[in-house]
Amino acid sequence: MGNLEVMNKENEEVGLKKQLGTVQILLYGVGTMLGAGIYVLVGKVAGYSGTLAPLSFLLAGVLAGLTAYSYSLLAPRFPKSGGEIIYVGKAFNSKRLASLVGWGVIFTGFISAAAILKGFVGYLDVFIEFPDAVVIIVSMTLLSLLAIWGIGESLNVIGLITLIEVGGLLFVIFVAGIDMEKFTSQFSRMFIAAPGYDIFAVFQGAFLAFYAFVGFEDLANVAEEAKNPKKSMPIAIMGSLFIALLLYVAVAVVAVIALPLNELSSTDAPMADIVANKGPHYAYIISLISLVAVLNGVLAQLIMGSRVLYGMAGQNNAPKWFHQVHRKYRTPILATIAIAIGIVVLAIFVPIVELANTTSYVVISVFVMVNLSQAKLAINDYGMKKCWGNRKFLLPLFAALLCVVFLLYKILAEV
């Protein structure tokens, strides 16, 4: 047996370490979504849909929830890194299509983390100003070292920060307060109709808000490291999305009541501005929480991207050396470094809204394929005749159609 064969065999034997419990995975999903979404984008969504921003988040959450259902079925069935590649490959028996989806997921991880990292720079400016490039490079280096150190350690950090994130959002809601008289009088302007904003504006906002739900699908790519994926994955995927949806809608309501639309849509630190008029010390507290919140999102995307690249390399859809696992820490070291470099480059050179919109295009395209994969596998399992009464076929098919409609609308709206 040659040296290369021995190394490959040893690498397979080392593999990724199975050590993640349900709570860790659930908090990973919540942390990924919260860091990317509400702490950075609530104002940008309001720029499209105005006081109807809560409705935009609600619509985006429904679309994401249908796709999350497909992931909750597929992740425990195929508990491997690079889950989407396996789903598409198994359903359609096409290595080329699976590879294309895999690269799409990796690209999503790049641009999503880059957008979040730019949000981190915005909140840091509340305390002290450094050149953006310096902040991006230093913070990404530290996060990469943590990711290489271990998945268990990384997810413990993510879980702790996620609890802080949730506490921060509850803090904003509590400090800003919800004036029930205003809420009642403005309810229809937040969830039904508002002067100057039509259904197209709501969908424009929902398309951007959909980016705030990017994260639940990341859980599929740590399934290989779960102790009991059949139990943990469905609970973590659906649970994390439901928690994020409730928080997003609540904070969007507070935001459109607390701030004039022109201020909300132009701010780079929306959580700080919402509580600033209650006292400057409140703004500093929430800005500090926001700092760690957005870094949490970057770390989660770094972990996801590295696992997908690792999985693709293991299936010969990416250079084999990305399948290297650190001998001591049992993490995909070269894949992690490659993803980190890509994030830094995008974060330095590309604007945040462009990053978020591009993420939505790519991730919705991936979701179309994942939903169709679940529908196709349901046909394989139950036969075409029995599928028409089976939610494991009907809901994924409906989700795929909604994703296609969402994409077509966005494309036509920008023509």
Side-chain angles (χ1 to χ4, degrees):
M1 186 180 290
N3 290 335
L4 182 58
E5 291 177 292
V6 171
M7 287 176 63
N8 287 339
K9 184 176 179 182
E10 288 177 352
N11 197 52
E12 275 181 24
E13 289 172 353
V14 172
L16 298 175
K17 190 175 181 181
K18 293 183 179 294
Q19 58 179 315
L20 304 179
T22 303
V23 174
Q24 281 179 304
I25 302 171
L26 175 77
L27 291 175
Y28 171 53
V30 174
T32 306
M33 286 184 276
L34 294 189
I38 206 72
Y39 276 92
V40 176
L41 284 180
V42 63
K44 308 301 180 186
V45 172
Y48 283 117
S49 52
T51 58
L52 290 166
L55 179 59
S56 289
F57 276 106
L58 186 60
L59 288 176
V62 170
L63 178 61
L66 288 168
T67 299
Y69 176 68
S70 292
Y71 273 94
S72 73
L73 296 174
L74 291 164
R77 182 172 180 172
F78 305 107
K80 292 289 183 182
S81 294
E84 291 92 346
I85 312 161
I86 297 171
Y87 310 156
V88 174
K90 293 287 186 181
F92 298 104
N93 196 29
S94 171
K95 184 176 179 180
R96 181 174 296 179
L97 186 59
S99 179
L100 182 63
V101 168
W103 285 114
V105 173
I106 290 173
F107 183 61
T108 299
F110 277 144
I111 55 184
S112 176
I116 304 167
L117 201 52
K118 291 178 82 70
F120 171 75
V121 174
Y123 278 107
L124 185 63
D125 286 344
V126 173
F127 298 96
I128 187 170
E129 291 189 16
F130 284 109
D132 289 3
V134 172
V135 174
I136 289 167
I137 291 170
V138 171
S139 57
M140 198 68 243
T141 300
L142 295 174
L143 290 174
S144 299
L145 292 173
L146 176 57
I148 291 169
W149 181 28
I151 183 70
E153 291 78 4
S154 297
L155 261 65
N156 285 337
V157 171
I158 287 174
L160 176 61
I161 295 176
T162 297
L163 294 176
I164 296 172
E165 288 178 90
V166 173
L169 295 181
L170 295 176
F171 173 78
V172 169
I173 294 169
F174 176 77
V175 171
I178 297 180
D179 186 321
M180 291 309 297
E181 186 176 338
K182 282 187 177 181
F183 176 76
T184 303
S185 63
Q186 296 185 32
F187 181 85
S188 64
R189 298 182 64 184
M190 292 186 287
F191 290 99
I192 300 174
Y197 296 93
D198 56 17
I199 189 63
F200 299 106
V202 173
F203 274 104
Q204 284 280 85
F207 190 87
L208 183 58
F210 186 84
Y211 165 77
F213 293 94
V214 171
F216 69 84
E217 79 285 357
D218 291 2
L219 304 186
N221 293 299
V222 298
E224 189 171 340
E225 293 156 283
K227 295 175 184 176
N228 186 354
K230 291 187 183 299
K231 173 191 171 185
S232 297
M233 301 314 298
I235 295 172
I237 290 171
M238 298 306 296
S240 61
L241 187 129
F242 183 70
I243 291 169
L245 176 59
L246 287 179
L247 289 169
Y248 284 173
V249 173
V251 173
V253 166
V254 169
V256 297
I257 290 176
L259 292 178
L261 280 177
N262 61 327
E263 289 183 27
L264 180 59
S265 60
S266 61
T267 180
D268 289 324
M271 297 299 105
D273 288 349
I274 289 170
V275 299
N277 60 352
K278 301 292 182 179
H281 55 291
Y282 288 133
Y284 282 110
I285 291 171
I286 196 61
S287 293
L288 186 60
I289 293 173
S290 301
L291 276 176
V292 295
V294 293
L295 282 183
N296 207 29
V298 178
L299 178 58
Q301 290 295 327
L302 175 62
I303 290 170
M304 180 278 293
S306 64
R307 267 59 184 178
V308 175
L309 188 54
Y310 168 86
M312 289 185 67
Q315 298 170 52
N316 297 316
N317 289 321
K320 195 68 179 178
W321 43 277
F322 285 129
H323 200 63
Q324 294 290 325
V325 175
H326 193 285
R327 188 66 58 184
K328 179 179 179 181
Y329 302 122
R330 293 174 66 178
T331 52
I333 180 170
L334 296 180
T336 301
I337 293 171
I339 297 295
I341 292 171
I343 291 169
V344 167
V345 171
L346 285 174
I348 291 174
F349 296 109
V350 185
I352 186 170
V353 172
E354 187 175 331
L355 284 169
N357 272 319
T358 304
T359 302
S360 293
Y361 275 116
V362 178
V363 80
I364 293 175
S365 299
V366 171
F367 286 173
V368 170
M369 293 309 305
V370 169
N371 284 311
L372 289 177
S373 295
Q374 171 54 34
K376 178 64 166 58
L377 289 168
I379 293 173
N380 295 346
D381 292 341
Y382 304 107
M384 193 67 224
K385 289 183 179 179
K386 293 183 179 179
C387 274
W388 291 109
N390 194 317
R391 68 176 183 274
K392 293 183 179 180
F393 169 76
L394 292 176
L395 287 180
L397 184 62
F398 182 57
L401 291 174
L402 278 180
C403 287
V404 171
V405 169
F406 215 31
L407 276 175
L408 289 176
Y409 163 75
K410 182 65 176 178
I411 293 168
L412 292 173
E414 294 188 353
V415 171

